PDB file of all heavy atoms in Angstrom:
ATOM      1  N   ASN A   8      26.917  -7.024   5.860  1.00  0.00           N
ATOM      2  CA  ASN A   8      27.123  -8.492   5.622  1.00  0.00           C
ATOM      3  C   ASN A   8      28.185  -8.959   6.737  1.00  0.00           C
ATOM      4  O   ASN A   8      29.337  -8.476   6.742  1.00  0.00           O
ATOM      5  CB  ASN A   8      27.670  -8.698   4.222  1.00  0.00           C
ATOM      6  CG  ASN A   8      27.829 -10.170   3.897  1.00  0.00           C
ATOM      7  OD1 ASN A   8      28.392 -10.830   4.752  1.00  0.00           O
ATOM      8  ND2 ASN A   8      27.433 -10.662   2.699  1.00  0.00           N
ATOM      9  N   GLU A  71      21.369 -14.387   1.675  1.00  0.00           N
ATOM     10  CA  GLU A  71      21.937 -14.679   0.258  1.00  0.00           C
ATOM     11  C   GLU A  71      21.999 -16.179   0.051  1.00  0.00           C
ATOM     12  O   GLU A  71      22.495 -16.900   1.012  1.00  0.00           O
ATOM     13  CB  GLU A  71      23.348 -14.057   0.040  1.00  0.00           C
ATOM     14  CG  GLU A  71      23.253 -12.584   0.127  1.00  0.00           C
ATOM     15  CD  GLU A  71      24.707 -12.025   0.035  1.00  0.00           C
ATOM     16  OE1 GLU A  71      25.716 -12.874  -0.069  1.00  0.00           O
ATOM     17  OE2 GLU A  71      24.908 -10.828   0.047  1.00  0.00           O
ATOM     18  N   THR A 102      31.703 -14.291  -4.245  1.00  0.00           N
ATOM     19  CA  THR A 102      30.746 -14.326  -5.400  1.00  0.00           C
ATOM     20  C   THR A 102      31.404 -13.485  -6.583  1.00  0.00           C
ATOM     21  O   THR A 102      31.784 -12.356  -6.342  1.00  0.00           O
ATOM     22  CB  THR A 102      29.482 -13.605  -4.989  1.00  0.00           C
ATOM     23  OG1 THR A 102      29.077 -14.106  -3.780  1.00  0.00           O
ATOM     24  CG2 THR A 102      28.378 -13.916  -6.071  1.00  0.00           C
ATOM     25  N   GLU A 154      19.821  -6.767  -7.005  1.00  0.00           N
ATOM     26  CA  GLU A 154      21.083  -6.168  -6.437  1.00  0.00           C
ATOM     27  C   GLU A 154      22.082  -6.023  -7.539  1.00  0.00           C
ATOM     28  O   GLU A 154      22.450  -7.042  -8.137  1.00  0.00           O
ATOM     29  CB  GLU A 154      21.594  -6.973  -5.297  1.00  0.00           C
ATOM     30  CG  GLU A 154      22.851  -6.390  -4.640  1.00  0.00           C
ATOM     31  CD  GLU A 154      23.313  -7.216  -3.518  1.00  0.00           C
ATOM     32  OE1 GLU A 154      22.562  -7.971  -2.815  1.00  0.00           O
ATOM     33  OE2 GLU A 154      24.543  -7.055  -3.194  1.00  0.00           O
ATOM     34  N   HIS A 194      28.907  -5.374  -3.441  1.00  0.00           N
ATOM     35  CA  HIS A 194      30.042  -6.212  -3.607  1.00  0.00           C
ATOM     36  C   HIS A 194      31.336  -5.296  -3.883  1.00  0.00           C
ATOM     37  O   HIS A 194      31.316  -4.466  -4.786  1.00  0.00           O
ATOM     38  CB  HIS A 194      30.004  -7.156  -4.733  1.00  0.00           C
ATOM     39  CG  HIS A 194      30.793  -8.412  -4.586  1.00  0.00           C
ATOM     40  ND1 HIS A 194      32.137  -8.405  -4.773  1.00  0.00           N
ATOM     41  CD2 HIS A 194      30.485  -9.659  -4.152  1.00  0.00           C
ATOM     42  CE1 HIS A 194      32.708  -9.604  -4.473  1.00  0.00           C
ATOM     43  NE2 HIS A 194      31.643 -10.373  -4.078  1.00  0.00           N
ATOM     44  N   GLY A 195      32.302  -5.442  -2.968  1.00  0.00           N
ATOM     45  CA  GLY A 195      33.607  -4.692  -3.115  1.00  0.00           C
ATOM     46  C   GLY A 195      33.540  -3.271  -2.683  1.00  0.00           C
ATOM     47  O   GLY A 195      34.432  -2.540  -2.974  1.00  0.00           O
ATOM     48  N   GLY A 216      30.097  -5.845   3.220  1.00  0.00           N
ATOM     49  CA  GLY A 216      30.555  -6.803   4.170  1.00  0.00           C
ATOM     50  C   GLY A 216      32.052  -6.630   4.517  1.00  0.00           C
ATOM     51  O   GLY A 216      32.499  -6.186   5.480  1.00  0.00           O
ATOM     52  N   HIS A 217      32.992  -7.069   3.548  1.00  0.00           N
ATOM     53  CA  HIS A 217      34.352  -7.290   3.910  1.00  0.00           C
ATOM     54  C   HIS A 217      35.044  -5.932   4.511  1.00  0.00           C
ATOM     55  O   HIS A 217      35.755  -6.002   5.428  1.00  0.00           O
ATOM     56  CB  HIS A 217      35.065  -7.712   2.559  1.00  0.00           C
ATOM     57  CG  HIS A 217      36.490  -8.000   2.740  1.00  0.00           C
ATOM     58  ND1 HIS A 217      37.531  -7.117   2.530  1.00  0.00           N
ATOM     59  CD2 HIS A 217      37.141  -9.062   3.338  1.00  0.00           C
ATOM     60  CE1 HIS A 217      38.553  -7.581   2.828  1.00  0.00           C
ATOM     61  NE2 HIS A 217      38.371  -8.851   3.293  1.00  0.00           N
TER      62      HIS A 217
HETATM   63  N1  LIG B  17      26.244  -8.663  -2.196  1.00  0.00           N
HETATM   64  C1  LIG B  17      26.313  -9.965  -2.544  1.00  0.00           C
HETATM   65  C2  LIG B  17      25.312 -10.609  -3.441  1.00  0.00           C
HETATM   66  C3  LIG B  17      27.482 -10.763  -2.072  1.00  0.00           C
HETATM   67  O1  LIG B  17      27.536 -12.034  -2.464  1.00  0.00           O
HETATM   68  C4  LIG B  17      28.415 -10.073  -1.242  1.00  0.00           C
HETATM   69  C5  LIG B  17      29.525 -10.885  -0.675  1.00  0.00           C
HETATM   70  O2  LIG B  17      29.050 -11.966   0.101  1.00  0.00           O
HETATM   71  C6  LIG B  17      28.160  -8.770  -0.981  1.00  0.00           C
HETATM   72  C7  LIG B  17      27.167  -8.076  -1.403  1.00  0.00           C
HETATM   73  C8  LIG B  17      29.211  -8.113  -0.016  1.00  0.00           C
HETATM   74  O3  LIG B  17      30.457  -7.878  -0.629  1.00  0.00           O
HETATM   75  P1  LIG B  17      31.662  -7.368   0.128  1.00  0.00           P
HETATM   76  O4  LIG B  17      31.913  -8.385   1.134  1.00  0.00           O
HETATM   77  O5  LIG B  17      32.714  -7.236  -0.828  1.00  0.00           O
HETATM   78  O6  LIG B  17      31.277  -6.104   0.771  1.00  0.00           O
END
Side-chain angles (χ1 to χ4, degrees):
N8 181 317
E71 293 176 1
T102 316
E154 180 178 336
H194 211 283
H217 186 263

